[in-house]
Amino acid sequence: MKKKSVGMFFAVLFLGIAIGVLPSLAAQDDSSSDQFTLEEVTVTAQKREENQQKVPIAMDVITGEELAKQGKLNIDDILKNVANVAIQNTSEGMRVSIRGITDDSGTMSGQHVGGSTVAINVDGTYNNMENVGQNLFDVERVEVLFGPQSTMYGSNAPGGIVNIITAAPKTDKYSASLTQEIGTYHTYNTQIMLNAPVIQDKVALRLAASRNVQDSYVQSGVTANDSKAVRLKGLWNILDNLTFTVTGTWDKMINGGGNASGVVPFDTQDGNWYTSQTVGAGPDAVTVWSKDGKVSDPWTWDGQGVGNSNDQTTKSISAEITWKTSLLNVTATPSYSKSSSTGIGSENNQGQEQEFEMGRGNTQKGAELRITNANDFTLFQWILGGTYYKSVQSSSQVYINSTAAANTQDTTQQKKAIYGNIVYPLWFYDSLRLTAGYRQSWDTSQSVAPGPGGAGLTTSGSPSYTKPDLKYGFEYDATTDMMVYGSYATSYRSGDAMAMPDASGNYPANEELKSYTLGAKSRWLDNRLQLNASAYYYDYKNKLCTGFMAAYGITEAAFGGDYISAVLQTSGPNAGTYQPVLTPDGDPLTKDPVTGLPFTFDLHDPNSQGTGTFTSKGLDLQANWIITSRDMMNVSISYMNETWKTLHFHYYYYMVFPDQDFKGVTPANAPEWSVTADYEHNFLLGAWGTLTPRVDMQYKTSYTLNADPTNPDTMGFSDQESYAKWDLSAAFSSASGKWSINAYCKNITNYAVKSMYRNQQGSVTLNLSEPRRFGATFSIKF
């Protein structure tokens, strides 16, 4: 039986058990049924504390208690049970994709050169650092908001928002905790927390620290990750209505490169073994990948690379000042952070392995001021805000064993915005509320890099963008336990800082999203079953797609002939010019051998940019069910239908090929179906405590990791087949609740899910998610 069929069989079987068998458990349960219900989850998605079920936004929430119990530290692990979310592990950190809205800008340069498609906020401040979403600890909850939220947030991310809220200091009592995880691949993760009320009910400090070490799962003897972090959070209740919170964080992450490029997967992919082998002998020997015994072209894939090692240090400080009056609430959140990193990397360039030293820096500063209605003002709800953000990123790549010119790049982004949102209940029908929102943004971006041949500096991009965003919606309380909502919202994404102007000097237009959403949130069975559903339609205009076709021009893979590529002249009378492309007979080639159209040489940066119309329609369904007092199940199902209606590329190339239209290409990270589910049962052991075994399942239909139509992946490395992954765990909690231990086995079938693929100018990177891992997490509270 094919792997796809096996995965689908188990996924259907799992859901079938839930639908057909588990209801009988409820009937057999002899406990008092009115004693167990779903908890009310408080969120701040709309910048005020509210019940999650009363927020008219499609969203998911993961509590800190669940994160600690399952030993989840990184965004990809935390969000893997949200069906419509995908994580891309790029060279510069994790990028989150929601409902197929993906950011593919600058994935090889180590910089976010465009605005975020999904924004990650930590304690209310937007963060674009490389390590954001990694090494999370002492977290209160994570809120995932689907779709644009521009009229209530400082970042106008069209795909959605991920809010990470760390635990706040408590002024009423001392407390402490210790969590220790030990697992395979020499996994050691230690977390400590100490909360101290310095002045009772007035001043408190909360110190949290983490140390996480793990060996590579693809290269023996290599430490893949070694991170240390310390967070000190202080709370001062200056007055009864005036609160000041300040957070300082120090983080050091060492990535040994064992989980990056040039890896050998630990299981089959696409029904074939992917293995490395050596081609040639002596000094000309090259290690390449093979698929079913077919050797790839050395420049297309090289399995010899060790991946990128990286040593990064980040320091940040942020604050939140909240003043509550009888008329309004005022909140200010200034922030500043700075990171620097150094490392060693390698890449394959036309069959030549090249090592290089990397250096990166990122400085961010921002501030947000928002004013909302007072808590006791019930006539209507409103929010007004203004935000400022500036990021300065720099990167350098100096080759060690090559004469290739060094690569450097400096990127500056600046974002300003004002926004407002109002929710007004109709006076003649208080079950119906109307929503209206507005945002005005002013964004600038600029990237500076060496010119052709290293002769001086040229500005790659200096576009300015301004665009209003709108939101209209409604909320309707159909019953006490059901709310129906709908919205029309727009959002835009500022252009790529590396964007090149066209022949007329115009930069790519704003990316513009129009989204239509209809949803419902409800609870049933005496508050034991929660069903949330939302349907959406996205119309995305001017969506940017970055292409990285081989910079050396015509290749055998592209045109079926051994054409000699254009070569840049770096010295002599023809410096800064290109030799013509030659046929196998040595004759100059002046036209595309496939289309017959002429082409010319161009000294622009060797990449290509495409823009087009992108549409997406889908359905999200979430179910949380307390089946009995001892059984609970969560299911998340997502259906997506996405396509490029138009996708038009213009090549800024060593040679300019005719523009092409790639209408109908499927976007990246857009599986048609995604299903996640988990089930747990509590065994009550009396005075001993509670034993809770749990099974988690994740299923996705096939998709591509990098929908770059300019760079055909003849070996299929970018294609991820349909798969099902399973995790098992068993947690024991003491009767006092003071301590617990959780043993787990993650990815029990040892299936290698591809998490990122890039082929830029013949330099290939493939990242994989984790293999089968065993471990245990012990936690104790004081």
Side-chain angles (χ1 to χ4, degrees):
M1 185 180 293
K2 293 183 178 180
K3 186 173 294 185
K4 177 179 179 179
S5 301
V6 173
M8 178 63 79
F9 171 78
F10 280 108
V12 173
L13 177 63
F14 187 88
L15 296 177
I17 292 174
I19 296 172
V21 178
L22 295 181
S24 64
L25 296 178
Q28 299 171 10
D29 184 34
D30 58 358
S31 61
S32 177
S33 61
D34 59 354
Q35 297 301 311
F36 60 97
T37 59
L38 289 165
E39 295 182 0
E40 303 290 343
V41 178
T42 300
V43 297
T44 53
Q46 298 190 119
K47 303 300 181 70
R48 56 174 60 88
E49 292 187 352
E50 298 174 287
N51 182 348
Q52 177 192 353
Q53 290 300 99
K54 300 299 181 182
V55 177
I57 299 174
M59 62 184 301
D60 203 350
V61 181
I62 303 96
T63 64
E65 181 180 357
E66 179 183 352
L67 301 183
K69 184 172 66 174
Q70 298 295 321
K72 297 179 177 181
L73 297 173
N74 299 324
I75 282 291
D76 58 344
D77 201 19
I78 292 172
L79 300 185
K80 70 179 182 181
N81 277 13
V82 183
N84 58 17
V85 172
I87 305 296
Q88 190 179 37
N89 290 298
T90 69
S91 59
E92 77 280 10
M94 298 181 183
R95 295 189 182 185
V96 182
S97 171
I98 299 178
R99 290 176 170 173
I101 304 298
T102 299
D103 176 16
D104 67 351
S105 65
T107 51
M108 295 302 294
S109 65
Q111 301 191 32
H112 288 275
V113 294
S116 297
T117 53
V118 174
I120 299 180
N121 300 328
V122 181
D123 290 333
T125 62
Y126 173 64
N127 195 307
N128 202 28
M129 293 287 188
E130 295 180 16
N131 61 342
V132 63
Q134 303 183 60
N135 195 29
L136 299 176
F137 58 98
D138 197 30
V139 173
E140 185 173 305
R141 68 183 180 278
V142 176
E143 302 172 2
V144 187
L145 282 56
F146 309 153
Q149 313 296 330
S150 302
T151 61
M152 286 186 295
Y153 279 86
S155 52
N156 52 343
I161 304 287
V162 177
N163 286 328
I164 301 169
I165 298 94
T166 62
K170 306 297 189 296
T171 61
D172 55 347
K173 64 178 181 180
Y174 285 90
S175 61
S177 67
L178 169 65
T179 300
Q180 179 65 59
E181 178 187 6
I182 300 176
T184 51
Y185 297 95
H186 293 92
T187 299
Y188 298 98
N189 172 40
T190 303
Q191 299 182 38
I192 61 171
M193 183 279 296
L194 174 63
N195 185 89
V198 180
I199 302 177
Q200 191 74 14
D201 298 327
K202 281 289 186 181
V203 179
L205 296 175
R206 189 180 186 97
L207 176 66
S210 171
R211 173 72 187 278
N212 185 30
V213 180
Q214 185 184 70
D215 280 357
S216 167
Y217 46 75
V218 293
Q219 295 180 6
S220 60
V222 175
T223 299
N225 294 292
D226 185 353
S227 62
K228 313 177 189 69
V230 178
R231 182 194 309 125
L232 179 62
K233 210 167 188 178
L235 171 65
W236 180 18
N237 293 324
I238 304 173
L239 301 172
D240 291 340
N241 63 344
L242 181 60
T243 302
F244 175 72
T245 303
V246 61
T247 304
T249 302
W250 176 87
D251 185 294
K252 185 177 181 64
M253 298 184 64
I254 300 176
N255 183 335
N259 293 349
S261 62
V263 302
V264 180
F266 33 81
D267 202 351
T268 57
Q269 296 284 330
D270 310 318
N272 302 287
W273 282 101
Y274 285 178
T275 58
S276 63
Q277 57 182 281
T278 300
V279 178
D284 298 325
V286 178
T287 302
V288 299
W289 283 64
S290 67
K291 176 179 177 181
D292 259 2
K294 178 182 177 182
V295 179
S296 66
D297 294 330
W299 70 267
T300 302
W301 184 268
D302 180 11
Q304 188 176 3
V306 298
N308 295 340
S309 62
N310 192 42
D311 185 345
Q312 175 179 292
T313 301
T314 303
K315 302 174 183 178
S316 63
I317 186 169
S318 63
E320 181 176 286
I321 304 99
T322 302
W323 180 39
K324 298 181 179 181
T325 72
S326 58
L327 298 177
L328 47 83
N329 299 331
V330 181
T331 302
T333 55
S335 63
Y336 175 85
S337 58
K338 185 175 183 178
S339 71
S340 61
S341 65
T342 59
I344 299 294
S346 68
E347 65 182 14
N348 178 265
N349 197 341
Q350 300 292 301
Q352 298 297 319
E353 193 68 27
Q354 298 178 345
E355 292 188 6
F356 51 83
E357 296 179 348
M358 301 179 298
R360 294 176 186 165
N362 192 343
T363 301
Q364 296 182 175
K365 55 185 176 181
E368 183 176 12
L369 177 66
R370 64 178 181 268
I371 306 173
T372 64
N373 58 277
N375 296 342
D376 55 358
F377 183 79
T378 57
L379 182 61
F380 58 90
Q381 295 181 339
W382 55 272
I383 178 173
L384 293 173
T387 182
Y388 170 81
Y389 169 82
K390 184 176 182 179
S391 169
V392 179
Q393 303 178 68
S394 63
S395 68
S396 64
Q397 185 170 298
V398 180
Y399 290 92
I400 300 173
N401 57 351
S402 171
T403 59
N407 294 325
T408 62
Q409 182 174 303
D410 297 303
T411 302
T412 301
Q413 298 180 62
Q414 184 169 277
K415 303 175 183 290
K416 304 175 185 176
I418 56 174
Y419 60 89
N421 199 82
I422 186 171
V423 180
Y424 191 85
L426 297 182
W427 66 92
F428 56 87
Y429 194 53
D430 58 5
S431 295
L432 180 62
R433 298 170 296 279
L434 301 181
T435 301
Y438 179 84
R439 172 196 179 94
Q440 181 68 51
S441 303
W442 298 270
D443 294 353
T444 60
S445 58
Q446 185 180 59
S447 182
V448 179
L457 295 176
T458 60
T459 301
S460 301
S462 55
S464 298
Y465 300 90
T466 179
K467 181 72 178 177
D469 290 329
L470 304 173
K471 180 177 182 179
Y472 304 105
F474 73 89
E475 310 168 21
Y476 173 60
D477 295 327
T479 67
T480 304
D481 297 318
M482 176 183 288
M483 179 183 70
V484 179
Y485 63 92
S487 67
Y488 163 78
T490 67
S491 183
Y492 94 103
R493 179 176 182 243
S494 58
D496 192 331
M498 293 183 66
M500 299 293 295
D502 59 19
S504 301
N506 299 316
Y507 288 96
N510 294 315
E511 296 185 9
E512 300 178 16
L513 172 66
K514 297 179 180 178
S515 68
Y516 305 84
T517 303
L518 181 63
K521 295 187 175 185
S522 62
R523 285 199 170 183
W524 307 80
L525 303 179
D526 296 326
N527 213 29
R528 297 197 299 270
L529 174 63
Q530 178 174 295
L531 291 176
N532 293 341
S534 63
Y536 61 91
Y537 177 80
Y538 290 165
D539 185 2
Y540 213 140
K541 182 181 178 182
N542 300 325
K543 182 72 172 69
L544 180 67
C545 181
T546 303
F548 292 109
M549 196 171 181
Y552 291 88
I554 297 178
T555 65
E556 180 180 358
F559 300 117
D562 296 321
Y563 295 100
I564 303 173
S565 303
V567 178
L568 175 65
Q569 301 298 293
T570 58
S571 62
N574 297 321
T577 64
Y578 290 81
Q579 292 179 353
V581 176
L582 304 179
T583 67
D585 296 329
D587 299 324
L589 188 67
T590 59
K591 61 183 179 180
D592 186 321
V594 175
T595 66
L597 297 175
F599 60 82
T600 58
F601 300 116
D602 195 334
L603 297 183
H604 278 102
D605 194 51
N607 60 38
S608 56
Q609 295 165 349
T611 57
T613 301
F614 172 93
T615 60
S616 174
K617 50 183 176 288
L619 176 67
D620 297 321
L621 175 65
Q622 299 164 304
N624 308 95
W625 186 14
I626 298 184
I627 307 163
T628 74
S629 60
R630 303 182 185 182
D631 300 271
M632 183 169 183
M633 183 176 183
N634 302 298
V635 178
S636 180
I637 302 174
S638 175
Y639 167 77
M640 288 190 288
N641 185 334
E642 302 188 350
T643 186
W644 288 98
K645 293 298 184 184
T646 62
L647 179 57
H648 187 76
F649 267 82
H650 178 71
Y651 299 106
Y652 299 101
Y653 241 81
Y654 286 171
M655 58 199 71
V656 178
F657 292 95
D659 292 355
Q660 299 181 44
D661 190 358
F662 295 95
K663 178 181 178 180
V665 174
T666 302
N669 295 315
E672 185 176 18
W673 287 98
S674 300
V675 180
T676 65
D678 63 76
Y679 166 72
E680 63 181 39
H681 176 80
N682 294 319
F683 291 97
L684 305 181
L685 305 180
W688 290 91
T690 304
L691 178 64
T692 307
R694 170 175 168 139
V695 57
D696 290 80
M697 183 275 294
Q698 179 188 61
Y699 171 78
K700 291 182 184 292
T701 54
S702 60
Y703 59 96
T704 182
L705 283 81
N706 181 14
D708 178 4
T710 72
N711 191 1
D713 178 18
T714 57
M715 295 293 289
F717 289 109
S718 182
D719 296 327
Q720 173 59 61
E721 62 181 342
S722 300
Y723 70 90
K725 284 182 63 176
W726 299 81
D727 297 342
L728 293 175
S729 63
F732 176 79
S733 300
S734 66
S736 65
K738 295 293 185 181
W739 63 273
S740 64
I741 186 169
N742 180 61
Y744 61 79
C745 175
K746 297 183 179 181
N747 192 6
I748 60 177
T749 58
N750 200 35
Y751 182 72
V753 176
K754 303 172 186 176
S755 60
M756 191 276 283
Y757 168 82
R758 280 292 180 270
N759 182 354
Q760 180 181 1
Q761 305 169 25
S763 176
V764 178
T765 302
L766 174 68
N767 289 354
L768 306 171
S769 63
E770 65 178 12
R772 181 191 298 121
R773 289 205 305 118
F774 299 92
T777 302
F778 174 77
S779 298
I780 186 169
K781 301 177 183 178
F782 303 95

